[in-house]
Amino acid sequence: IDVKKVFVKKGWIKMKVISQNELPAVATLKEMIDVLPEFVCMRYPDGTWAEANKLALKIYGIDHNEYKGKSLEEMDTRLSKEAIERCKRSDQRAWESRKPIKTAEKIPLRNGRTIMLELIKQPTFTKDGKQQVLVVTGRDITPHKQKEEELSVALDLLESVLKGTTDAILILNTRQEVIKVNDAFIQMFGWA
């Protein structure tokens, strides 16, 4: 159907509203979160796991059937004791602040690589204010951290070149504004 023709000829478009009963049923919360490309897990106030998606289980190296009702200390994971303690402390900060907190965790993988996760920990409460579930979502920021480190190395190298040369160097941005000069430039021209 050509929507423009319908609109022009009739002056309106008839739309059917789909009822809740006509929508496809989603069997479980697990099925919904498993399709997400982000890290998702839910923990009870005592630190035991309520639910997690496939990505979270894969990253932590947790058996898909052996995590519910257990804490990180009780499970065989890729996390060091120090990482588990940092995790517990950030969980506690989220519960105490009653607000979401952002944290970053280094996770060593079995292949020797380490990934960096940026996590948001959102505490939830019942209507009467009791702690309910801590919802932890996140993403792998390893590529971003690697780029930051590469940029930092490049900036350090540039700084050493600027300081070590006797040539006057002036650096401009794309708007032709001066953003950096070296000591040789200052000595040669008399202005910074």
Side-chain angles (χ1 to χ4, degrees):
I1 295 175
D2 188 339
V3 174
K4 288 181 183 175
K5 288 180 182 174
V6 172
F7 184 77
V8 171
K9 289 181 181 176
K10 303 281 185 181
W12 55 275
I13 298 174
K14 185 177 180 182
M15 296 178 64
K16 181 180 179 190
V17 177
I18 298 174
S19 72
Q20 188 70 26
N21 296 338
E22 293 174 299
L23 292 174
V26 177
T28 66
L29 172 67
K30 176 82 169 130
E31 289 176 350
M32 287 192 306
I33 65 174
D34 273 345
V35 299
L36 297 174
E38 291 87 19
F39 179 101
V40 179
C41 78
M42 294 166 214
R43 292 197 293 270
Y44 295 115
D46 65 359
T48 58
W49 284 44
E51 194 58 85
N53 69 349
K54 287 180 183 178
L55 180 62
L57 297 174
K58 180 181 176 185
I59 288 173
Y60 280 8
I62 297 171
D63 185 344
H64 292 280
N65 298 319
E66 301 295 325
Y67 66 95
K68 288 187 179 182
K70 293 184 181 178
S71 67
L72 285 171
E73 294 94 345
E74 296 174 295
M75 293 185 274
D76 180 29
T77 70
R78 295 183 174 128
L79 298 178
S80 66
K81 288 182 181 179
E82 295 81 19
I84 290 172
E85 284 303 312
R86 280 194 312 273
C87 182
K88 286 171 57 176
R89 285 193 301 270
S90 62
D91 287 359
Q92 191 60 37
R93 280 196 327 269
W95 285 119
E96 288 171 359
S97 71
R98 302 179 72 86
K99 296 178 183 175
I101 64 160
K102 187 183 277 189
T103 184
E105 292 289 337
K106 282 187 178 181
I107 310 295
L109 300 178
R110 291 192 178 153
N111 65 8
R113 276 186 50 231
T114 298
I115 64 169
M116 182 69 99
L117 286 179
E118 180 181 71
L119 301 172
I120 297 175
K121 298 184 174 192
Q122 173 69 58
T124 62
F125 300 87
T126 61
K127 288 181 181 179
D128 59 354
K130 292 181 183 173
Q131 295 176 340
Q132 197 169 23
V133 175
L134 184 68
V135 180
V136 183
T137 58
R139 61 190 177 101
D140 181 358
I141 59 168
T142 307
H144 302 291
K145 287 295 181 186
Q146 289 170 339
K147 293 291 181 195
E148 283 178 11
E149 289 175 16
E150 290 170 8
L151 181 59
S152 177
V153 168
L155 289 173
D156 289 345
L157 180 60
L158 175 61
E159 194 64 36
S160 67
V161 168
L162 289 174
K163 287 184 179 185
T165 186
T166 56
D167 295 331
I169 298 176
L170 168 82
I171 300 174
L172 304 171
N173 65 16
T174 57
R175 294 183 305 274
Q176 300 298 308
E177 299 166 334
V178 177
I179 58 171
K180 185 96 173 153
V181 296
N182 68 347
D183 291 339
F185 183 92
I186 295 168
Q187 289 174 357
M188 185 177 291
F189 296 103
W191 52 275

